[in-house]
Amino acid sequence: MKKKFFALVGFYLIVLIVSAVLFSYTVVLIVLCLGVLGVICLVCGWVINNEVKKTEWFRSVIPDMNNYPTNEWYRQHDARNYDIVNIGSSSAKYAFDYSNVSIKAFNWAEQPQSLSYGYKILKTYFSILRRGGVVVISLGPFSGLDVDDIWPEARNDKYYYTLDPALIVNYRKVAMRRRYPLLVSPIRSLKELVKRFLRYPQNSGKVEKNRFLNDADKWYHNWLKEFEIDDINAPLSEENKRRQGKRVALLSDIITFCQQRDLRPVIVIPPLHPYLASKLLGIFRENYIYSFINKANTARVPFYDYMDDERFASDKYYRNTFFMNDAGAKYFTEIFLKELRLI
């Protein structure tokens, strides 16, 4: 973009010089005025673009960089030889909270995060772990189905901050969205600016107690629509068999990667609110969860299934039926680490 800017400036100067030589002062004045107007527009655009980057909409994509041992992180921290990390998607992001425990840990889950990108994060930062360190592979009810060809491309934007460009699908588009949001999404950018300056209240994402049942229905039906499932108790469609096959190979690769580096992989399904867990029972679990894990986990690494764990059944542990709240995450993490004998 900088090269294009300087090329445009150079072209403008050439036009100005040619106009001065070949045309009247009126033409030169017009060209000069257009140049000044162009500079004003560029400056205004630059200022507005930077203001867009301060909006909640833009910043919500940026991961918590304190969770990632990047080069900048190493310059500010001396800690090495971490005990445990977890990868995973939305449920894992809200289920693991290591702030109240004495071990060294990172939560590398993001909302949302495909298993393939979780693997890329692990391969990028695994060296922070000590020998024998634990890698928690956190799964959700539909983690057995590949989503790389379903999810919108913009969900890759968060990796602009944490992964090498070569690892990010369509990196050039990602970089454009993160550097120049006003240019890529002008209408959305201006709407978010209005929200910011008028201080419209943001949706907290929390669900009141009497809405848990409706929230469970929402998650359930959204998943069925996302994966084109008509009957949740029917065998997998051919397309979902293909998606599951990709995930089986991927999960197997992650386990092997860990073992080859003297790391200790474990598979975990975090707690679900009872309303949501009750919608995902029996044949569904066998077809979509357990068969997937059994096929991939030929090394028979430990598998912890907390979906129906009554210790986490209370509403007080959840912000919605899929995400634990702060109290729930601290409680679950402490119990889980004790079961791993890390605390």
Side-chain angles (χ1 to χ4, degrees):
M1 185 62 72
K2 289 181 180 180
K3 292 181 180 179
K4 292 181 180 180
F5 172 75
F6 286 118
L8 185 61
V9 171
F11 176 74
Y12 169 74
L13 292 175
I14 292 172
V15 171
L16 187 62
I17 293 171
V18 171
S19 299
V21 174
L22 300 179
F23 302 103
S24 66
Y25 288 117
T26 302
V27 174
V28 174
L29 184 61
I30 292 173
V31 173
L32 186 60
C33 289
L34 289 174
V36 172
L37 182 61
V39 170
I40 293 173
C41 289
L42 285 173
V43 171
C44 290
W46 179 78
V47 171
I48 296 173
N49 191 69
N50 283 343
E51 290 300 319
V52 172
K53 290 183 178 181
K54 298 176 184 178
T55 63
E56 179 65 22
W57 165 65
F58 184 88
R59 295 183 62 81
S60 65
V61 175
I62 303 174
D64 181 355
M65 297 308 295
N66 289 321
N67 279 335
Y68 295 92
T70 61
N71 290 334
E72 291 75 14
W73 184 92
Y74 277 113
R75 295 188 189 106
Q76 301 174 23
H77 299 82
D78 296 325
R80 303 291 187 274
N81 298 316
Y82 270 55
D83 301 294
I84 184 171
V85 300
N86 67 267
I87 60 174
S89 191
S90 305
S91 62
K93 178 180 177 67
Y94 293 103
F96 294 96
D97 184 342
Y98 304 106
S99 60
N100 286 352
V101 294
S102 58
I103 63 173
K104 293 183 287 187
F106 279 127
N107 182 346
W108 290 338
E110 292 294 344
Q111 181 184 357
Q113 179 161 267
S114 67
L115 192 60
S116 58
Y117 268 103
Y119 188 20
K120 290 178 182 180
I121 290 290
L122 177 63
K123 288 193 290 185
T124 299
Y125 298 112
F126 78 91
S127 60
I128 194 71
L129 284 160
R130 63 174 172 80
R131 185 174 182 178
V134 177
V135 175
V136 178
I137 307 167
S138 183
L139 303 176
F142 290 88
S143 292
L145 300 181
D146 184 69
V147 294
D148 290 340
D149 58 349
I150 298 177
W151 283 359
E153 183 184 278
R155 291 191 176 181
N156 296 336
D157 289 6
K158 64 177 75 71
Y159 304 109
Y160 176 77
Y161 304 93
T162 56
L163 289 178
D164 185 273
L167 298 175
I168 303 173
V169 177
N170 291 324
Y171 172 77
R172 293 184 65 181
K173 292 182 179 180
V174 170
M176 281 293 294
R177 286 192 292 268
R178 301 317 294 168
R179 294 171 185 168
Y180 311 107
L182 180 63
L183 184 62
V184 177
S185 303
I187 296 176
R188 180 66 185 273
S189 294
L190 294 176
K191 285 183 178 179
E192 295 299 328
L193 270 181
V194 171
K195 287 182 182 179
R196 177 170 177 258
F197 287 113
L198 294 182
R199 302 186 182 280
Y200 285 174
Q202 298 290 325
N203 185 351
S204 67
K206 295 182 179 180
V207 178
E208 300 301 325
K209 182 176 181 180
N210 61 355
R211 291 177 53 206
F212 276 118
L213 188 58
N214 291 335
D215 182 72
D217 286 336
K218 181 179 177 181
W219 283 107
Y220 177 77
H221 290 293
N222 284 346
W223 281 326
L224 296 189
K225 181 179 179 181
E226 181 177 18
F227 296 106
E228 300 178 336
I229 299 171
D230 296 321
D231 181 358
I232 201 166
N233 292 316
L236 274 67
S237 66
E238 291 302 315
E239 178 61 20
N240 282 337
K241 285 180 182 178
R242 181 191 67 81
R243 289 171 176 157
Q244 188 176 90
K246 290 181 65 176
R247 279 297 172 90
V248 167
L250 180 58
L251 179 56
S252 179
D253 286 347
I254 295 172
I255 293 170
T256 300
F257 175 88
C258 294
Q259 292 179 325
Q260 289 176 342
R261 288 157 182 79
D262 293 322
L263 302 174
R264 184 160 65 114
V266 298
I267 300 170
V268 176
I269 300 179
L272 299 176
H273 188 281
Y275 286 160
L276 185 56
S278 67
K279 292 180 174 295
L280 306 169
L281 298 172
I283 297 175
F284 163 80
R285 293 193 185 185
E286 181 57 36
N287 289 341
Y288 286 85
I289 301 176
Y290 301 136
S291 64
F292 152 62
I293 293 174
N294 289 334
K295 291 173 186 176
N297 188 20
T298 56
R300 296 295 178 259
V301 303
F303 169 41
Y304 297 84
D305 182 0
Y306 293 98
M307 281 189 289
D308 299 313
D309 196 313
E310 293 185 356
R311 291 174 292 182
F312 313 106
S314 173
D315 290 352
K316 68 181 181 180
Y317 295 132
Y318 295 89
R319 63 182 67 204
N320 61 45
T321 54
F322 194 34
F323 301 163
M324 304 194 85
N325 59 24
D326 292 343
K330 288 181 173 64
Y331 179 50
F332 166 66
T333 302
E334 182 179 0
I335 288 178
F336 175 58
L337 293 177
K338 286 180 179 179
E339 293 183 351
L340 287 180
R341 297 185 179 179
L342 287 179
I343 60 174

